[in-house]
Amino acid sequence: MAAIVIGYFIAGLPQSRSTLSLNSILLLFLLAVLANVCYCGAYIADVFAQFSGFRAFWLRWRWLLLTLGIAFASVITRFFALGFFGSY
């Protein structure tokens, strides 16, 4: 996710530099913390799935859920980066 934000920041230089302020940096930090909280919530679902009757199915296909989660988070990150640094 950091690579996406940094990529859009660099793509928008020098205009994107003017959007940096203490408040915008703190907002980016807050969004990063919230993203990590959401990722930690996945462990709760993982534990319940492993102790259920679907354990074999879950262990075989959970990589797919991880991939979809990363793709979804990447799309959301892209839109936030476009909102911060403009559509360049």
Side-chain angles (χ1 to χ4, degrees):
M1 303 314 123
I4 294 170
V5 173
I6 291 169
Y8 276 99
F9 177 77
I10 291 172
L13 282 174
Q15 293 87 4
S16 61
R17 189 177 303 226
S18 66
T19 63
L20 284 183
S21 67
L22 179 61
N23 285 335
S24 65
I25 291 172
L26 290 175
L27 181 60
L28 284 173
F29 176 74
L30 177 67
L31 291 172
V33 170
L34 289 175
N36 281 313
V37 168
C38 291
Y39 277 117
C40 290
Y43 290 112
I44 297 169
D46 186 52
V47 167
F48 282 117
Q50 287 195 31
F51 287 121
S52 73
F54 298 105
R55 178 177 167 72
F57 178 78
W58 178 251
L59 291 176
R60 186 171 178 197
W61 293 101
R62 69 181 180 177
W63 65 269
L64 182 63
L65 186 61
L66 173 67
T67 304
L68 290 173
I70 291 172
F72 183 67
S74 299
V75 169
I76 291 173
T77 302
R78 178 185 181 272
F79 285 123
F80 271 102
L82 283 173
F84 273 105
F85 306 122
S87 55
Y88 302 106

